[in-house]
Amino acid sequence: MIERLNGTFPVAGTERRQTTALETGTFGDLLRHRLESIGVEPQEGGVALSKHAQQRAEERGIEITGDLMARLNDSVGRAQAKGAKNILVFDATRAFIVNVPQSRVITAISQEEMKDNVFTNIDGAVLL
Protein backbone atom coordinates (compact mmCIF):
# COMPACT_ATOMS: atom_id res chain seq x y z
CA MET A 1 0.00 0.00 0.00
CA ILE A 2 1.29 3.47 -0.88
CA GLU A 3 0.75 6.25 1.60
CA ARG A 4 0.81 9.90 0.65
CA LEU A 5 3.45 11.86 2.53
CA ASN A 6 2.97 15.53 3.24
CA GLY A 7 5.40 17.93 4.84
CA THR A 8 9.15 18.15 5.01
CA PHE A 9 11.57 15.94 6.81
CA PRO A 10 14.92 17.01 8.22
CA VAL A 11 18.07 15.56 6.71
CA ALA A 12 19.92 13.27 9.09
CA GLY A 13 22.23 15.26 11.33
CA THR A 14 20.43 18.58 10.85
CA GLU A 15 18.05 20.35 13.14
CA ARG A 16 14.63 21.38 12.04
CA ARG A 17 14.24 25.15 12.17
CA GLN A 18 11.50 27.67 11.61
CA THR A 19 11.53 29.12 8.09
CA THR A 20 10.73 32.75 7.41
CA ALA A 21 8.26 34.03 4.86
CA LEU A 22 11.16 35.22 2.70
CA GLU A 23 12.65 31.72 2.58
CA THR A 24 9.39 30.19 1.39
CA GLY A 25 8.31 33.00 -0.97
CA THR A 26 8.60 33.11 -4.71
CA PHE A 27 11.50 34.71 -6.53
CA GLY A 28 9.27 37.71 -7.24
CA ASP A 29 8.55 38.10 -3.51
CA LEU A 30 12.26 37.98 -2.71
CA LEU A 31 13.12 40.50 -5.43
CA ARG A 32 10.33 42.85 -4.34
CA HIS A 33 11.54 42.66 -0.72
CA ARG A 34 15.16 43.36 -1.77
CA LEU A 35 14.15 46.35 -3.90
CA GLU A 36 12.02 47.76 -1.09
CA SER A 37 14.91 47.32 1.37
CA ILE A 38 17.11 49.58 -0.78
CA GLY A 39 14.34 52.11 -1.34
CA VAL A 40 13.31 51.17 -4.86
CA GLU A 41 9.60 50.90 -5.51
CA PRO A 42 9.05 47.97 -7.85
CA GLN A 43 6.97 48.72 -10.92
CA GLU A 44 4.71 46.08 -12.37
CA GLY A 45 6.10 45.05 -15.73
CA GLY A 46 8.96 47.52 -15.40
CA VAL A 47 12.66 47.22 -16.05
CA ALA A 48 14.66 44.94 -13.77
CA LEU A 49 18.35 44.74 -12.92
CA SER A 50 20.26 41.55 -13.58
CA LYS A 51 22.37 40.19 -10.74
CA HIS A 52 25.46 41.31 -12.67
CA ALA A 53 24.10 44.85 -13.02
CA GLN A 54 23.28 45.01 -9.30
CA GLN A 55 26.82 43.92 -8.43
CA ARG A 56 28.39 46.40 -10.84
CA ALA A 57 26.24 49.27 -9.54
CA GLU A 58 27.30 48.50 -5.95
CA GLU A 59 30.99 48.15 -6.90
CA ARG A 60 30.96 51.37 -8.91
CA GLY A 61 28.99 53.48 -6.43
CA ILE A 62 25.96 53.93 -8.68
CA GLU A 63 22.89 54.54 -6.54
CA ILE A 64 19.77 52.78 -7.80
CA THR A 65 16.81 54.95 -6.84
CA GLY A 66 13.13 54.83 -7.66
CA ASP A 67 13.56 57.87 -9.90
CA LEU A 68 16.38 56.18 -11.83
CA MET A 69 14.31 53.01 -12.28
CA ALA A 70 11.39 55.09 -13.58
CA ARG A 71 13.70 56.86 -16.04
CA LEU A 72 15.19 53.53 -17.19
CA ASN A 73 11.66 52.17 -17.63
CA ASP A 74 10.73 55.20 -19.73
CA SER A 75 13.90 54.74 -21.81
CA VAL A 76 13.03 51.10 -22.49
CA GLY A 77 9.51 52.09 -23.55
CA ARG A 78 10.84 54.66 -26.01
CA ALA A 79 13.39 52.17 -27.39
CA GLN A 80 10.69 49.51 -27.82
CA ALA A 81 8.62 51.95 -29.84
CA LYS A 82 11.60 52.32 -32.23
CA GLY A 83 12.25 48.58 -32.42
CA ALA A 84 15.60 48.58 -30.57
CA LYS A 85 16.84 45.36 -28.98
CA ASN A 86 19.90 46.37 -26.94
CA ILE A 87 20.44 49.97 -25.92
CA LEU A 88 22.89 52.19 -24.11
CA VAL A 89 21.07 54.45 -21.63
CA PHE A 90 23.36 57.17 -20.29
CA ASP A 91 23.90 60.58 -18.78
CA ALA A 92 27.08 62.46 -17.84
CA THR A 93 27.87 60.29 -14.81
CA ARG A 94 26.69 56.75 -15.58
CA ALA A 95 25.57 54.38 -18.31
CA PHE A 96 23.53 51.21 -18.52
CA ILE A 97 23.32 48.51 -21.17
CA VAL A 98 19.71 47.32 -21.37
CA ASN A 99 18.16 44.35 -23.18
CA VAL A 100 14.89 45.87 -24.39
CA PRO A 101 12.80 42.72 -25.10
CA GLN A 102 13.47 41.40 -21.59
CA SER A 103 13.38 44.88 -19.98
CA ARG A 104 16.56 43.93 -18.12
CA VAL A 105 19.56 46.09 -17.26
CA ILE A 106 22.60 43.99 -18.19
CA THR A 107 25.35 46.14 -16.66
CA ALA A 108 26.01 49.49 -15.05
CA ILE A 109 29.01 51.64 -15.95
CA SER A 110 30.48 54.57 -14.01
CA GLN A 111 31.78 57.82 -15.49
CA GLU A 112 35.39 56.70 -15.00
CA GLU A 113 34.84 53.55 -17.07
CA MET A 114 33.05 55.39 -19.88
CA LYS A 115 36.10 57.43 -20.86
CA ASP A 116 37.98 54.98 -23.08
CA ASN A 117 35.23 52.42 -23.55
CA VAL A 118 33.74 51.21 -26.82
CA PHE A 119 30.16 49.95 -26.62
CA THR A 120 29.33 47.13 -29.02
CA ASN A 121 26.27 45.02 -29.78
CA ILE A 122 23.85 47.88 -29.21
CA ASP A 123 21.38 49.19 -31.74
CA GLY A 124 20.26 52.32 -29.96
CA ALA A 125 21.13 54.92 -27.35
CA VAL A 126 18.87 56.90 -25.02
CA LEU A 127 19.93 59.95 -23.03
CA LEU A 128 18.58 59.91 -19.46
Side-chain angles (χ1 to χ4, degrees):
M1 177 181 267
I2 298 175
E3 292 181 37
R4 185 179 188 119
L5 299 175
N6 291 320
T8 60
F9 301 93
V11 176
T14 64
E15 294 180 14
R16 190 174 187 148
R17 65 181 181 82
Q18 185 70 27
T19 58
T20 67
L22 285 177
E23 292 173 321
T24 59
T26 65
F27 174 76
D29 294 336
L30 296 172
L31 179 61
R32 199 169 3 276
H33 176 36
R34 174 66 178 130
L35 289 172
E36 288 170 358
S37 74
I38 61 172
V40 176
E41 289 294 321
Q43 298 179 3
E44 199 63 37
V47 69
L49 276 84
S50 68
K51 185 175 180 179
H52 174 80
Q54 288 176 345
Q55 289 172 341
R56 293 297 179 258
E58 288 176 18
E59 290 169 4
R60 296 165 176 167
I62 299 171
E63 185 178 0
I64 306 298
T65 64
D67 178 57
L68 174 61
M69 294 300 287
R71 292 171 72 191
L72 287 170
N73 200 40
D74 178 61
S75 297
V76 167
R78 290 188 289 152
Q80 275 179 328
K82 297 288 186 177
K85 302 293 183 212
N86 292 293
I87 60 172
L88 173 68
V89 181
F90 67 101
D91 63 16
T93 61
R94 61 203 169 181
F96 304 90
I97 302 293
V98 182
N99 178 277
V100 175
Q102 293 181 4
S103 293
R104 182 168 308 276
V105 176
I106 304 303
T107 196
I109 304 149
S110 68
Q111 182 179 24
E112 293 298 314
E113 294 165 322
M114 285 192 281
K115 288 182 180 174
D116 292 319
N117 219 336
V118 174
F119 299 100
T120 59
N121 297 326
I122 61 170
D123 58 358
V126 180
L127 186 61
L128 278 175

